[in-house]
Amino acid sequence: MGWLRSRLVSRTNRPSSWHHSDALLLSDSTSHVVPTTLPSHLLNSALTDIAFSSSDQFGEAASLESQRTEPSFRFTGLVPFRTNYASKAIFDLDGTAYSGRFVALLRSRSAVFKSRLYLEALDDGLVPWYHYVPVSVRLDELYSLLGYFFSARSVVAAVVETGEKVGRRELEKARKGVEHEEELRRIAEQGREWGTKCARREDAMSYAYLLALEWARLQSDEREGFRMEEGEE
């Protein structure tokens, strides 16, 4: 699973019995910041659909049992990978190793929210907030990002429908938030263009070739003589 993925699944599946709330920052129609606090389980049900397909298949029995019984872990069973593409936004997180899905997700028509532990070969060509939405490993800004792009009005509707006890002032502030889905759509398109044009097999081969040249230079006793000085071509 990896601790980063476990953190995201746990955070976005907190049961209502925990009576937990999250603070988030919204943006109103004049682009001013509007802070509010809303119940976590309603934020999750209105804005996210994140789960594990299954628990780990190997490991210590106690660890596997704790995964299956953790109240904030949700398991869906195996689903086709293409079902992810029905969402306007997709999370991609590193696990116990780097995620091998990043480029494939960028090539979709969904915007990619990326939280990483590892650097990847073609990262130098990617621009955060232009090709994808960066997310810290602590995920502290998670609900503010979702609220910015999608607003919190669906959460307010869920509060009214369920009769959840939320302060009137918090609901009034939540209603002021506006969505920015057009910005998210542009990020998705720009990421798709990069994934299609700049992450080809030829690009990976070029990177591997340059990496081999640099490795050979570092291993050579004459390595200093092979260094390219500034301004040389």
Side-chain angles (χ1 to χ4, degrees):
M1 289 182 176
W3 64 266
L4 181 54
R5 294 174 182 172
S6 296
R7 173 179 288 179
L8 180 63
V9 171
S10 177
R11 191 160 193 166
T12 56
N13 289 280
R14 288 169 174 152
S16 58
S17 59
W18 286 9
H19 303 292
H20 189 279
S21 295
D22 275 286
L24 63 154
L25 301 177
L26 302 172
S27 175
D28 66 14
S29 57
T30 61
S31 296
H32 286 91
V33 174
V34 181
T36 188
T37 301
L38 296 168
S40 302
H41 72 282
L42 293 182
L43 281 166
N44 293 329
S45 62
L47 298 175
T48 71
D49 182 11
I50 299 172
F52 289 121
S53 59
S54 64
S55 61
D56 285 333
Q57 303 302 307
F58 305 99
E60 295 182 357
S63 175
L64 297 177
E65 180 62 21
S66 68
Q67 291 177 21
R68 289 189 287 267
T69 58
E70 166 57 46
S72 63
F73 279 6
R74 181 165 64 93
F75 301 97
T76 62
L78 295 177
V79 295
F81 186 75
R82 64 179 179 275
T83 58
N84 291 291
Y85 300 149
S87 301
K88 296 176 181 178
I90 305 175
F91 272 88
D92 183 50
L93 302 94
D94 292 334
T96 52
Y98 81 97
S99 169
R101 306 175 182 88
F102 191 28
V103 171
L105 295 176
L106 282 172
R107 289 173 177 165
S108 73
R109 298 187 183 278
S110 305
V112 180
F113 285 54
K114 177 67 174 177
S115 185
R116 65 170 73 246
L117 298 170
Y118 306 98
L119 296 178
E120 299 181 40
L122 302 177
D123 280 354
D124 287 346
L126 284 165
V127 180
W129 296 109
Y130 185 85
H131 296 117
Y132 66 97
V133 179
V135 185
S136 70
V137 294
R138 292 182 64 86
L139 307 177
D140 288 339
E141 71 275 43
L142 171 65
Y143 295 111
S144 294
L145 289 173
L146 295 173
Y148 176 79
F149 287 116
F150 299 113
S151 85
R153 292 176 182 175
S154 58
V155 186
V156 173
V159 170
V160 174
E161 181 181 347
T162 61
E164 187 83 16
K165 292 183 179 179
V166 178
R168 184 176 64 182
R169 186 178 179 184
E170 298 302 324
L171 285 180
E172 289 175 352
K173 290 190 290 184
R175 287 190 178 99
K176 293 180 180 179
V178 297
E179 53 85 16
H180 297 80
E181 290 194 26
E182 181 59 27
E183 291 183 30
L184 190 67
R185 185 187 64 78
R186 285 198 297 269
I187 293 173
E189 290 179 349
Q190 289 154 184
R192 176 179 171 81
E193 182 179 19
W194 185 92
T196 302
K197 295 182 178 180
C198 303
R200 304 163 300 168
R201 178 178 175 83
E202 293 88 340
D203 299 307
M205 293 294 291
S206 296
Y207 181 90
Y209 178 70
L210 292 173
L211 184 65
L213 288 178
E214 177 62 9
W215 180 252
R217 184 188 73 80
L218 292 173
Q219 295 299 306
S220 172
D221 292 336
E222 305 296 329
R223 65 179 69 89
E224 295 303 323
F226 292 127
R227 177 175 295 174
M228 181 175 289
E229 300 296 335
E230 186 176 351
E232 292 184 7
E233 296 183 0

